Amino acid sequence: MLEKIQSLCKTHKITLTQLERELGFGRGALYKWTKSFPTADNLQKVADFFKVSTDYLLGISPFTNAKEAGCSIRVAGMKLALDNPRHKELIWDAARININSGFWFQDSTRKYIEGLLKKVAFTDSEYYDLSLFVIWELILPPDFREKAPVVFVLWEQSITFDLDYWSIPKLTIEDEESKIFYKDGPGGINGDDERTRYLATERVEEQDALTGSYEPETIAAHHDGEEWTDEELAEIERFKEFVRSKKRDK
């Protein structure tokens, strides 16, 4: 753990002594962590200072934070999936469904994805964007130290494969680098907008343990005077899962 902290200090151009002073620790306190475990509060202070997770400091996760985990796994997973003819076919089918639907994404995004489907090679940002466009949910293992598979959930299909989480390239793709725009514009669909636009006003809400937000249990067949078919409601439910998946990446 001390080696990770020293590496973070080097990256942020700060000494261990300066870090201890900044966090209100006694001089030499961090060196003592090689012999005794720190309190949860002090460990969290270090994690918050560097904007990393405590799991990363403890060696439980190879990723500094959830954003890096989501980006790295999505990109590495898409590269692996597109090398498999069957998986590539499923991804292409899912992309075409979303392109033809026009239900959530802006026209510019749909045209952008159409262009990607004609390419032979992608940049990391393009792999990431393609994953955002086709993956409804990203299912990860509870502990990255286990050799558990990752699951990409597509339209009523899923792709399951193994990744070496510790050796895949670590990267973070910021929101402004993405070309995936929704009907409300870049970043326009958040939890509140989603509920306002797609969900009924009369509902029972239950807190989502992963995101801390409140999600309704039911959706009415009408909203703002619009009638919804059973098929459209099913699409809305799938969209909710997609938005939850994006929240977990952040």
Side-chain angles (χ1 to χ4, degrees):
M1 179 164 42
L2 181 60
E3 289 181 358
K4 280 192 172 63
I5 296 173
Q6 288 174 321
S7 177
L8 288 167
C9 282
K10 184 177 181 180
T11 300
H12 289 77
K13 298 180 179 179
I14 185 175
T15 67
L16 278 178
T17 301
Q18 290 172 325
L19 176 63
E20 290 168 340
R21 188 184 308 119
E22 185 73 25
L23 298 180
F25 296 168
R27 187 177 179 84
L30 291 172
Y31 284 103
K32 295 178 181 178
W33 290 10
T34 59
K35 297 181 180 179
S36 61
F37 199 79
T39 64
D41 183 57
N42 284 344
L43 185 64
Q44 189 64 57
K45 286 180 180 179
V46 174
D48 290 344
F49 182 87
F50 290 118
K51 293 182 174 58
V52 301
S53 69
T54 55
D55 280 356
Y56 174 74
L57 294 179
L58 293 171
I60 296 173
S61 170
F63 306 104
T64 57
N65 51 48
K67 180 71 173 177
E68 183 181 83
C71 292
S72 303
I73 291 171
R74 282 176 178 272
V75 171
M78 288 300 292
K79 289 179 179 179
L80 186 63
L82 292 179
D83 281 339
N84 181 303
R86 175 56 181 158
H87 292 169
K88 181 176 181 178
E89 180 182 357
L90 292 175
I91 291 170
W92 258 226
D93 287 345
R96 291 190 184 99
I97 289 172
N98 280 345
I99 288 171
N100 295 330
S101 170
F103 195 65
W104 308 290
F105 301 99
Q106 287 187 9
D107 289 343
S108 63
T109 291
R110 292 157 62 200
K111 290 178 181 177
Y112 164 58
I113 296 297
E114 283 181 331
L116 288 189
L117 298 187
K118 299 174 184 177
K119 294 186 64 174
V120 176
F122 304 107
T123 66
D124 286 342
S125 292
E126 289 171 340
Y127 276 117
Y128 181 68
D129 280 349
L130 184 59
S131 79
L132 292 180
F133 194 76
V134 301
I135 297 173
W136 289 102
E137 185 175 6
L138 178 65
I139 302 176
L140 302 177
D143 191 329
F144 287 115
R145 293 172 297 181
E146 300 177 6
K147 288 208 69 176
V150 59
V151 180
F152 285 176
V153 180
L154 311 174
W155 279 88
E156 300 180 355
Q157 298 279 353
S158 63
I159 297 173
T160 302
F161 49 86
D162 293 315
L163 277 181
D164 185 345
Y165 303 104
W166 296 83
S167 66
I168 63 173
K170 309 303 185 292
L171 56 93
T172 298
I173 298 172
E174 301 299 339
D175 293 342
E176 55 267 23
E177 298 178 60
S178 174
K179 296 181 181 178
I180 302 299
F181 300 149
Y182 307 97
K183 283 294 182 68
D184 277 350
I189 293 180
N190 55 36
D192 292 336
D193 292 333
E194 178 197 2
R195 287 189 288 275
T196 300
R197 296 178 59 209
Y198 297 110
L199 307 179
T201 54
E202 295 181 2
R203 65 221 185 232
V204 177
E205 292 183 335
E206 181 175 323
Q207 188 171 20
D208 187 312
L210 287 175
T211 66
S213 63
Y214 286 85
E215 299 292 349
E217 294 179 344
T218 60
I219 301 179
H222 60 84
H223 182 57
D224 293 337
E226 295 182 88
E227 296 295 327
W228 300 97
T229 66
D230 290 342
E231 183 178 349
E232 288 170 337
L233 289 175
E235 288 191 20
I236 292 170
E237 285 289 354
R238 285 192 285 266
F239 179 72
K240 287 168 58 185
E241 291 303 319
F242 170 72
V243 173
R244 289 193 188 103
S245 177
K246 282 208 68 183
K247 288 179 182 176
R248 292 165 193 159
D249 285 352
K250 295 182 177 180

